Amino acid sequence: MAAGFSKGRPRLGFLGTGWIGRHRMSAIIEADVAEVAAIAEPSPETAAEALALAPGAERVDALDALLAMGLDGIVIATPSALHAEQSVLALASGAAVFCQKPLGRNAAEVQAVVDAARAADRLLAVDLSYRFTEGMRRIREVVRSGELGRIYAVDLVFHNAYGPDKPWFYDPKLSGGGCVMDLGVHLVDLALWCLDFPDVAQVGAQLFAAGERLGPDPSQVEDYAVATIELAGGTAIRLACSWRLQAGRDAVIEAAFYGTGGGAALRNRDGSFYDFTAERYRGTAGEVLASPPDPWGGRAAADWARRLAAGERFDESAQELVQVARVLDRIYGR
Ligand SMILES: NC(=O)c1ccc[n+]([C@@H]2O[C@H](COP(=O)([O-])OP(=O)(O)OC[C@H]3O[C@@H](n4cnc5c(N)ncnc54)[C@H](O)[C@@H]3O)[C@@H](O)[C@H]2O)c1
């Protein structure tokens, strides 16, 4: 296959094969549209687990070595501080990129990656995995059909009873932020995606760490945040997210849309991180749009691989990633 790009069965390299990298690798293997040609992962144990999934893959030292192979695409699942720089290098070398979220620690980093993808004319996608739940797919359809009338309110919630276990998540220089960067990014994306990325008028937020208020552009990561995002058309989006909130369950996850003609909401079932129910509301009555089981976790990765195999190049919708990152920057007051 020609270096960097051609239609057919793309050869992929996997950079970082921790739990999330291996999960997405399995989804791409299952989709059976691409070859896992190589992996780069510093931990020998972790690399061995990845090679068990893809026995034909070569293990190389680092990104440079992956890029020297002239692969068609690179799947990045390294710590967040590395995402933007690694994505830019991969795109500039002619490879398409599928990157874990967040694509960058701030909007400037995200814009640099999108610019690199546009300049190289390569397919760029980010693992905004909740877009690929059947529930959100149905809710977006209902919202965009106009059935709910004018959407004037959106409620977004993601409380995770646990916090990340890797130290870098707690250094804002490395992570870009706490629970907003980790969990809020998914929700802000879902809201703007369902509403076709309208302009954002105003953003206000309160951030906390261990119950204490943080100021703007904090030097500590937040573990609780509330934010109000006012869209140019007047729609009010309320966001609440946290790590280690004592909420009596593993997780509270919600994306609810309220319009002049009804409502629709995605909610996790019984505190689950994985099981969601989507409903459409008329007054006090509810109709189920989607319910478990729905194995959605690997769909964004498989979708990118399929699009790459179909010969897709840069897609201008990648610019939406910058819009989400700008909202996050405003939540952080920077
Ligand atoms: N899409 C989602 O819903 C979702 C879910 C979980 C995690 N994530 C994201 O995945 C990313 C990774 O998170 P994690 O908890 O697996 O982190 P992690 O610290 O375990 O790192 C992942 C892997 O990258 C490897 N690595 C580190 N530096 C590397 C380098 N220079 N080159 C190649 N490999 C390198 C590590 O050895 C590790 O195996 C984070 O950015 C996180 O936000 C996304």
Side-chain angles (χ1 to χ4, degrees):
M1 189 169 285
F5 181 83
S6 75
K7 197 167 163 176
R9 204 167 163 86
R11 292 168 65 241
L12 305 181
F14 285 74
L15 185 65
T17 61
W19 181 85
I20 190 87
R22 293 198 304 281
H23 186 276
R24 284 9 181 192
M25 179 190 284
S26 297
I28 289 173
I29 291 171
E30 206 171 300
D32 196 20
V33 290
E35 296 304 327
V36 182
I39 67 159
E41 161 59 58
S43 152
E45 298 78 31
T46 306
E49 289 186 55
L51 292 173
L53 295 173
E58 185 180 336
R59 182 179 175 208
V60 301
D61 277 348
L63 178 59
D64 291 2
L66 286 181
L67 298 183
M69 293 176 74
L71 300 169
D72 300 292
I74 305 290
V75 177
I76 299 175
T78 54
S80 300
L82 304 173
H83 291 176
E85 190 187 340
Q86 290 173 335
S87 295
V88 167
L89 286 169
L91 291 159
S93 86
V97 165
F98 181 75
C99 188
Q100 270 313 311
K101 53 80 338 216
L103 183 57
R105 290 164 291 184
N106 52 51
E109 282 195 344
V110 174
Q111 184 70 70
V113 182
V114 173
D115 288 347
R118 187 185 287 111
D121 194 18
R122 289 296 181 269
L123 186 64
L124 166 68
V126 172
D127 197 1
L128 294 163
S129 42
Y130 295 83
R131 282 192 187 190
F132 288 80
T133 58
E134 179 59 12
M136 276 315 303
R137 192 186 71 72
R138 291 300 316 279
I139 288 174
R140 183 169 182 255
E141 250 173 36
V142 167
V143 167
R144 297 179 85 212
S145 74
E147 251 188 76
L148 302 183
R150 185 174 50 80
I151 303 292
Y152 57 88
V154 182
D155 284 354
L156 305 171
V157 181
F158 201 146
H159 299 306
N160 179 341
Y162 312 100
D165 54 357
K166 317 283 161 34
W168 62 261
F169 275 96
Y170 298 91
D171 179 347
K173 290 198 180 68
L174 298 179
S175 57
C179 58
V180 171
M181 188 58 68
D182 185 32
L183 309 173
V185 65
H186 285 296
L187 298 172
V188 171
D189 176 71
L190 287 181
L192 297 183
W193 176 65
C194 284
L195 300 173
D196 288 329
F197 284 87
D199 287 340
V200 171
Q202 288 195 62
V203 178
Q206 286 121 54
L207 308 177
F208 294 78
E212 301 292 333
R213 280 289 297 275
L214 300 174
D217 200 8
S219 55
Q220 251 181 297
V221 294
E222 77 291 353
D223 57 14
Y224 183 87
V226 288
T228 313
I229 301 156
E230 186 190 324
L231 301 181
T235 303
I237 302 177
R238 297 190 304 168
L239 165 73
C241 61
S242 66
W243 289 335
R244 292 184 302 275
L245 192 70
Q246 301 183 43
R249 62 201 69 195
D250 282 348
V252 184
I253 306 172
E254 173 186 317
F257 296 78
Y258 300 105
T260 50
L266 181 87
R267 291 200 174 88
N268 66 324
R269 196 183 263 193
D270 302 327
S272 169
F273 285 104
Y274 305 106
D275 290 339
F276 293 96
T277 302
E279 291 177 309
R280 194 257 197 247
Y281 307 120
R282 290 177 180 82
T284 54
E287 170 201 335
V288 173
L289 298 174
S291 53
D294 177 35
W296 50 274
R299 280 185 196 144
D303 179 70
W304 169 83
R306 269 189 215 102
R307 292 173 66 195
L308 183 62
E312 285 195 36
R313 294 181 177 231
F314 180 70
D315 176 346
E316 196 53 55
S317 70
Q319 188 61 34
E320 296 165 359
L321 298 163
V322 181
Q323 281 176 257
V324 173
R326 283 198 187 120
V327 172
L328 264 53
D329 276 355
R330 290 169 77 177
I331 289 175
Y332 285 113
R334 60 192 181 206

